Amino acid sequence: MIRRHDFNSDWYGDEAGIVADASFFAADAAARDRALAPFAFVEARGPLSAQFGVAARRAGFFLADTQIPFRIALAQLESSPSIAGLEAKSAAEEGFEVREPAPFVHERFALLPGVGEQELAGRYLLWSARLIAEHPETALAIRSERGVEGWFLSRRDEGGLELTLAMLAADATISGHHLYHRALLHYRDLGARVGRASFSVANSAVHNIYASLGARFLEPQGCWLWIRGG
């Protein structure tokens, strides 16, 4: 009912899980406790419904975030003079690593014991390194005349292009909108037709960026956490 989340376990330094079968919430308390016992924390995703919320709370979970999924038609994007001076280079063309990104402030894992800004930065650096190594053709560094302004890391799968992770550099001189727009145009030019991802409902800046670029927003989804001893 719960499977190990390998990445989160590697990052957190303790066992992390994710609910893989919703039947977990229908199980009796003893079975749920046995399934949860190996883990320091467990994440579950589900609809924002009263029925799911009651079941999740009964199992000891709390609502940590709401994610808004979306799809965006990359083939319909047009360029703008405001990003004419920006260049996108993939890790397949010119190897790079993410260094000193701007802090992430909309992050549910900040609710975990022992996790502060430094630990969150470490999570994103680890995640970035894996995405760059595994998907170099869609891992982009966005540069201006002054140097690297940020990064946009994506991956292809059966559903198209997952727009996985975008970050401004801590000393960036461009806006997030310009970073996203330039990266998405690069994906368009690679032949990608549709991109998809999700973001925290608290992240109004990203919401506004994708809205301005023509994204279509889908049904929100709750992210629930169980924390050992919580």
Side-chain angles (χ1 to χ4, degrees), residues 42-103:
V42 174
E43 185 173 15
R45 295 202 173 201
L48 291 175
S49 67
Q51 181 179 8
F52 189 90
V54 168
R57 287 192 295 272
R58 186 174 61 236
F61 286 69
F62 65 93
L63 184 62
D65 189 21
T66 297
Q67 291 277 311
I68 301 179
F70 68 90
R71 294 172 64 85
I72 184 166
L74 301 175
Q76 298 177 10
L77 287 177
E78 297 182 359
S79 189
S80 165
S82 62
I83 59 172
L86 297 179
E87 180 182 42
K89 286 286 186 181
S90 75
E93 297 173 282
E94 297 181 5
F96 63 84
E97 61 184 42
V98 173
R99 295 182 179 179
E100 299 186 21

Side-chain angles (χ1 to χ4, degrees), residues 178-192:
H178 289 161
L179 174 81
Y180 282 58
H181 195 178
R182 183 64 190 87
L184 296 181
L185 287 175
H186 184 88
Y187 295 136
R188 179 204 66 182
D189 293 342
L190 287 179

Side-chain angles (χ1 to χ4, degrees), residues 24-41:
F24 165 81
F25 294 106
D28 60 49
R32 294 198 305 267
D33 289 345
R34 287 194 298 270
L36 292 166
F39 301 102
F41 74 91

Side-chain angles (χ1 to χ4, degrees), residues 4 7-16 40-41:
R4 184 180 191 268
F7 175 79
N8 280 340
S9 299
D10 292 346
W11 159 67
Y12 194 59
D14 202 344
E15 293 299 285
F41 74 91

Side-chain angles (χ1 to χ4, degrees), residues 140-143 147-152 167-169 172 174 179:
L140 306 180
I142 308 299
R143 297 185 175 95
V148 175
E149 299 281 2
W151 307 269
F152 205 116
M167 299 160 285
L168 282 170
I174 67 171
L179 174 81

